[in-house]
Amino acid sequence: MSEIKQVTDALHAFRDERDWAQFHNPKDLAIALSVEASELLEVFLWKKPEEADVARVKEELADIFAFAFQIAAHYQLDIPQIVSEKMEKNRLKYPVEKAKGSAKKYTEL
Ligand SMILES: [Mg+2]
């Protein structure tokens, strides 16, 4: 069993012990993921990047992954596969010869 599957199973067990599956539809999971992403931003707000509290970064990242994994599970998506597929799209959008050393969006390259 993959580590992602093990983590997702543990998240589902935590959810089911609390009878929270009724709340965990993909829309609300996506909203929760966005809220957690904002909490991650808050860790950096008004600080230099190196001043961020890494313990808080760790916690907010864990929240983000938890919701992302549950959304993927809802749609029976294979996380390594979908990330790999998206990276292939990004390789085409950002060819090395155009994108190397540039922070421009692909539409500006
Ligand atoms: Mg959080």
Side-chain angles (χ1 to χ4, degrees):
M1 186 189 294
S2 76
E3 289 184 19
I4 290 174
K5 174 83 167 82
Q6 287 177 7
V7 170
T8 304
D9 286 351
L11 290 164
H12 286 160
F14 179 95
R15 175 199 67 188
D16 293 342
E17 285 164 359
R18 289 157 182 80
D19 192 22
W20 286 352
Q22 59 185 314
F23 309 119
H24 284 196
N25 63 75
K27 174 199 61 109
D28 286 303
L29 290 170
I31 292 170
L33 188 155
S34 181
V35 169
E36 297 302 342
S38 294
E39 290 179 2
L40 177 62
L41 289 178
E42 191 178 32
V43 177
F44 293 99
L45 184 64
W46 313 125
K47 297 181 178 86
K48 296 174 183 168
E50 61 273 18
E51 293 171 345
D53 179 345
V54 179
R56 288 202 54 214
V57 170
K58 193 172 80 173
E59 290 215 351
E60 302 311 340
L61 267 182
D63 289 338
I64 291 165
F65 285 129
F67 288 120
F69 286 7
Q70 289 180 87
I71 294 168
H74 178 87
Y75 293 110
Q76 298 175 321
L77 302 174
D78 181 294
I79 291 171
Q81 183 186 335
I82 65 175
V83 171
S84 173
E85 288 170 4
K86 190 60 171 48
M87 283 179 63
E88 188 51 39
K89 284 186 176 179
N90 287 342
R91 277 189 199 93
L92 298 172
K93 273 196 210 167
Y94 294 95
V96 172
E97 59 274 16
K98 286 187 182 174
K100 191 169 186 174
S102 171
K104 289 182 181 172
K105 189 173 178 176
Y106 68 96
T107 52
E108 307 295 321
L109 289 172

